[in-house]
């Protein structure tokens, strides 16, 4: 079956712009979560959605937002980009907490 | 919040050697997974193992939940095993977010 699909794979943006990243989960998975990976901070939780509702949010500024659609696809948006937002953004999907999480290939965002 | 510590942070092996990676966590967990991050950044799920022992080819994992640790064993290592190995846990009764350790960077030389 198809895995978790993230688009785009690579992105270069200018400071101050905004960006939208997309994640399509494995068919049947209703939980979608997002993580940011940087060399300094490691892997950090951004937010988690289940059935179009944000259930949990990590410790990130309000410039980071997301949503989930009725087909479980999710998008995350970062407004007013800063140099420090350069990172690998990973999306994961799951049936729920008692099941494993499967990650996509990630979107590598570079802010210049 | 829960703390996840992995050791060693770096490991260099010759091809064919065996290794053990350790993950300690500070609280009870519902879910524990081991991942291998490939050079392109993707996290490949190795094991979902909140407790007990599992094996998959040359890899096996054991989680002793009561003592709050998990071990990942790699036998007869190959150069393709190189990369970073992460342990991640999901806390009980709390938010459904994976908390990751800092990883073990494994380098297998030919």
């Amino acid at each position: 079956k198809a895995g978790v699909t993230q688009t785009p794979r690579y992105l270069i943006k200018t400071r101050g712009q905004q960006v939208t990243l997309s994640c399509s989960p494995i068919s049947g998975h209703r939980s979608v979560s997002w993580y940011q990976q940087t060399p300094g901070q490691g892997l950090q939780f951004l937010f988690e959605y289940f059935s179009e509702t944000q259930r949990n949010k990590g410790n990130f500024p309000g410039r980071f937002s997301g949503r989930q659609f009725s087909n479980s696809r999710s998008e995350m948006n970062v407004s007013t980009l800063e140099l420090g937002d350069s990172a690998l953004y990973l999306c994961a999907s799951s049936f729920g907490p008692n099941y494993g999480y499967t990650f996509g290939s990630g979107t590598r965002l570079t802010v210049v | 919040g829960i703390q996840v510590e992995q050791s060693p942070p770096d490991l260099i092996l010759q091809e064919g050697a065996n290794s053990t990676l350790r993950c300690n966590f500070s609280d009870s967990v519902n879910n524990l997974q081991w991942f291998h991050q490939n050079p392109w950044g993707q996290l490949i799920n190795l094991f979902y193992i909140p407790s007990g022992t599992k094996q998959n080819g040359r890899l096996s994992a054991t989680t002793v939940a009561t003592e709050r640790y998990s071990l990942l064993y790699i036998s007869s290592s190959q150069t393709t095993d190189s990369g970073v190995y992460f342990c991640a846990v999901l806390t009980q009764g709390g938010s459904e977010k994976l908390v990751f350790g800092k990883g073990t960077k494994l380098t297998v030389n030919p």
Side-chain angles (χ1 to χ4, degrees):
Chain A
K1 58 182 177 182
V4 179
T5 303
Q6 289 189 248
T7 56
R9 290 294 308 277
Y10 302 93
L11 209 48
I12 300 176
K13 289 287 189 179
T14 303
R15 205 167 30 167
Q17 287 185 312
Q18 74 165 15
V19 66
T20 299
L21 312 182
S22 178
C23 173
S24 294
I26 289 173
S27 178
H29 287 190
R30 294 163 66 188
S31 170
V32 175
S33 48
W34 290 87
Y35 293 80
Q36 180 196 64
Q37 185 177 27
T38 59
Q41 300 298 317
L43 280 148
Q44 293 186 289
F45 171 77
L46 281 158
F47 24 67
E48 188 252 350
Y49 288 88
F50 187 90
S51 294
E52 302 180 64
T53 300
Q54 184 183 91
R55 294 198 297 190
N56 297 288
K57 191 177 193 304
N59 190 24
F60 279 82
R63 301 184 297 106
F64 291 81
S65 63
R67 59 179 175 169
Q68 187 180 32
F69 301 95
S70 58
N71 62 357
S72 293
R73 189 177 72 85
S74 176
E75 289 181 346
M76 69 163 279
N77 183 276
V78 188
S79 62
T80 319
L81 284 165
E82 301 177 0
L83 296 179
D85 297 332
S86 295
L88 179 65
Y89 290 88
L90 292 161
C91 167
S93 76
S94 173
F95 281 117
N98 295 321
Y99 300 86
Y101 286 75
T102 302
F103 280 81
S105 299
T107 294
R108 194 169 295 277
L109 172 65
T110 302
V111 182
V112 298
Chain B
I2 191 168
Q3 304 296 314
V4 180
E5 294 184 358
Q6 291 186 241
S7 60
D10 294 278
L11 188 57
I12 300 175
L13 302 173
Q14 287 299 122
E15 203 167 22
N18 302 328
S19 61
T20 301
L21 282 59
R22 187 177 179 101
C23 172
N24 292 332
F25 43 96
S26 60
D27 204 348
S28 300
V29 297
N30 266 343
N31 174 344
L32 187 146
Q33 286 184 257
W34 284 96
F35 296 94
H36 175 216
Q37 188 163 41
N38 65 22
W40 298 272
Q42 185 171 8
L43 287 171
I44 308 298
N45 182 31
L46 298 176
F47 293 102
Y48 167 73
I49 187 166
S51 64
T53 297
K54 290 186 178 180
Q55 181 159 7
N56 184 6
R58 296 182 296 104
L59 273 61
S60 64
T62 295
T63 297
V64 183
T66 53
E67 296 187 22
R68 300 180 182 168
Y69 73 89
S70 182
L71 301 173
L72 177 68
Y73 306 95
I74 305 174
S75 64
S76 304
S77 57
Q78 301 175 357
T79 56
T80 52
D81 294 331
S82 296
V84 183
Y85 291 79
F86 288 100
C87 165
V89 302
L90 197 68
T91 54
Q92 283 187 351
S95 62
E96 290 176 19
K97 64 174 185 178
L98 287 172
V99 178
F100 285 82
K102 294 186 183 302
T104 292
K105 183 178 180 181
L106 174 65
T107 302
V108 181
N109 293 318

